[in-house]
Amino acid sequence: MAKLIGNKKVRTAVFISGRGSNLKNLIKFSKTKKSPIEINLVISDKEAAGLKYALHNKIKKKIIYFKNKKDAENKILDKLKKENIEFICLAGFLKILSKAFIKNFKKKIINIHPSYLPKYKGLNTSLRAIENKERFSGCTVHYVSSKLDSGKIILQKKIQIAKNETEKSLDKKVIKQEHKIYPAAILKIFN
Ligand code: GRF
């Protein structure tokens, strides 16, 4: 990834599908002096609750429905181009982007996942880890490839699973660490 030139921050889009706590956290981080990114656009594939953070922070937002994946991706690409977006953070975005889409942003799309990858790709990671009597779970920031949760790992954090852990309590521990490692991974990429 190219280094920052002068004080200009990298124009970034965040893609979401849900509540947007990582979006909220990234917006907060992006406003700090040390942040190499600024957030200029939020993309969602539905009326996601997290879109409110775009509204509160006067960030442009666009909902693109995925009735037809190719059409949807082309619409997103047009919007990204229009807004001169250089970098993409996926934050709870539930659609898998195609190879053709990713090619346009090689090594410039990253994702956060609530497990210690390569373990527990996909959904319901905390529940599956508890059911399998794992001793730890975690969270991972990685580059996006067209295979689900499989790109090169940038940063990850292990999280211990307690004896009486529930899905809810583990999810809570994981999201807390996500909010630490996502900005840290971005700093690692650009520094
Ligand atoms: C997070 O657990 C993230 O790792 C996963 O989806 C969840 C999104 O949460 N990809 P939020 O919408 O950022 O609160």
Side-chain angles (χ1 to χ4, degrees):
M1 172 64 59
K3 302 273 177 223
L4 269 187
I5 302 164
N7 287 325
K8 216 171 161 282
K9 292 190 178 189
V10 176
R11 291 182 65 82
T12 299
V14 181
F15 289 20
I16 64 166
S17 298
R19 76 189 151 178
S21 74
N22 277 290
L23 168 64
K24 183 183 180 200
N25 183 58
L26 287 178
I27 293 172
K28 190 173 159 211
F29 168 68
S30 73
K31 290 179 177 174
T32 63
K33 205 171 165 210
K34 68 177 177 193
S35 168
I37 63 160
E38 60 181 10
I39 297 170
N40 308 94
L41 180 65
V42 176
I43 296 279
S44 171
D45 64 316
K46 57 171 81 134
E47 278 286 353
L51 287 170
K52 65 174 181 267
Y53 300 117
L55 201 69
H56 294 166
N57 291 280
K58 298 190 173 62
I59 297 169
K60 286 186 184 167
K61 61 180 165 68
K62 186 143 181 83
I63 302 174
I64 310 244
Y65 295 98
F66 270 63
K67 264 186 231 146
N68 174 305
K69 183 164 169 160
K70 208 170 165 204
D71 286 352
E73 288 188 341
N74 283 336
K75 278 184 198 156
I76 295 177
L77 281 174
D78 283 348
K79 185 71 181 160
L80 296 174
K81 215 171 180 181
K82 207 170 137 203
E83 299 296 335
N84 294 311
I85 297 298
E86 305 160 282
F87 189 67
I88 298 170
C89 296
L90 306 185
F93 186 63
L94 291 174
K95 299 287 178 209
I96 298 173
L97 297 166
S98 72
K99 228 183 210 161
F101 181 94
I102 294 166
K103 205 175 71 199
N104 293 279
F105 285 86
K106 218 171 161 232
K107 275 231 153 184
K108 286 176 180 159
I109 312 179
I110 63 174
N111 181 42
I112 185 139
H113 182 73
S115 80
Y116 201 78
L117 288 173
K119 282 194 150 188
Y120 300 103
K121 296 172 182 173
L123 297 173
N124 307 317
T125 51
S126 292
L127 184 64
R128 287 189 284 141
I130 291 169
E131 280 178 355
N132 288 341
K133 306 209 179 328
E134 297 284 359
R135 288 170 54 210
F136 65 85
S137 181
C139 47
T140 304
V141 179
H142 63 95
Y143 287 106
V144 170
S145 72
S146 55
K147 276 199 197 132
L148 179 69
D149 302 324
S150 295
K152 188 171 178 262
I153 291 167
I154 301 158
L155 202 62
Q156 56 186 168
K157 169 91 185 158
K158 267 188 190 175
I159 295 158
Q160 270 214 317
I161 299 181
K163 273 216 173 87
N164 301 321
E165 202 79 75
T166 62
E167 183 186 16
K168 204 173 161 194
S169 65
L170 183 55
D171 275 346
K172 222 170 154 182
K173 284 198 225 172
V174 171
I175 200 80
K176 200 171 163 199
Q177 292 306 318
E178 287 188 27
H179 294 166
K180 289 188 183 159
I181 70 162
Y182 215 165
I186 292 168
L187 283 170
K188 190 175 170 191
I189 289 170
F190 289 98
N191 289 328

